[in-house]
Amino acid sequence: MELREMRFATIVGTEVKVKVNSAAEAKAAIKELRHKKKEVGLLKRRVAAELKRARSLEAKAEKAAARSRRQKGFFAALGRLSSAFSDDDHSEDVQRLEKDLGHTEEILHNIDSCIIQLEGKLLT
């Protein structure tokens, strides 16, 4: 996941840090964070769509495996043997996408908390 550089804020992992020196910079940082929030939201939607697709592929693969286990005979045994050596492991994709989705949600939460903190400092 590649995010653009920001002027007042930095995102390292899921941690969001903001450094401002004046009220004008704080207002600009809030605008910047709101824009970044939209960018991360789009990324989250894309990851969620990929996760949905990967889960459906995993479900189809499980149904096909169950169907082939019920079949009997020489050709069914060859099919089971060839599928045992294949690289189609969809569960790793699902786990990776779930982890990415969790990271994006945590980044969104941290962006929101930075916005709230900056707005609170501007009020005083």
Side-chain angles (χ1 to χ4, degrees), residues 13-45:
T14 59
E15 186 177 350
V16 180
K17 295 180 183 180
V18 179
K19 184 177 180 187
V20 293
N21 295 322
S22 66
E25 286 183 356
K27 288 179 183 179
I30 289 173
K31 288 180 182 179
E32 188 177 71
L33 286 171
R34 286 188 178 145
H35 180 24
K36 185 57 66 175
K37 183 178 174 183
K38 290 178 186 177
E39 188 178 338
V40 173
L42 287 172
L43 180 65
K44 179 184 171 189
R45 281 194 287 263

Side-chain angles (χ1 to χ4, degrees), residues 97-123:
L97 289 170
E98 286 174 346
K99 187 177 81 169
D100 288 347
L101 191 62
H103 284 295
T104 56
E105 289 173 353
E106 191 171 342
I107 290 171
L108 285 172
H109 172 75
N110 291 339
I111 288 173
D112 282 336
S113 66
C114 283
I115 291 172
I116 290 171
Q117 289 174 6
L118 286 171
E119 287 174 344
K121 287 190 180 208
L122 285 175
L123 290 175

Side-chain angles (χ1 to χ4, degrees), residues 54-72:
R55 283 183 177 160
S56 70
L57 286 174
E58 184 180 31
K60 287 179 184 177
E62 287 176 5
K63 286 180 184 179
R67 199 175 322 117
S68 69
R69 282 193 300 268
R70 286 191 302 262
Q71 292 177 346
K72 295 181 181 177

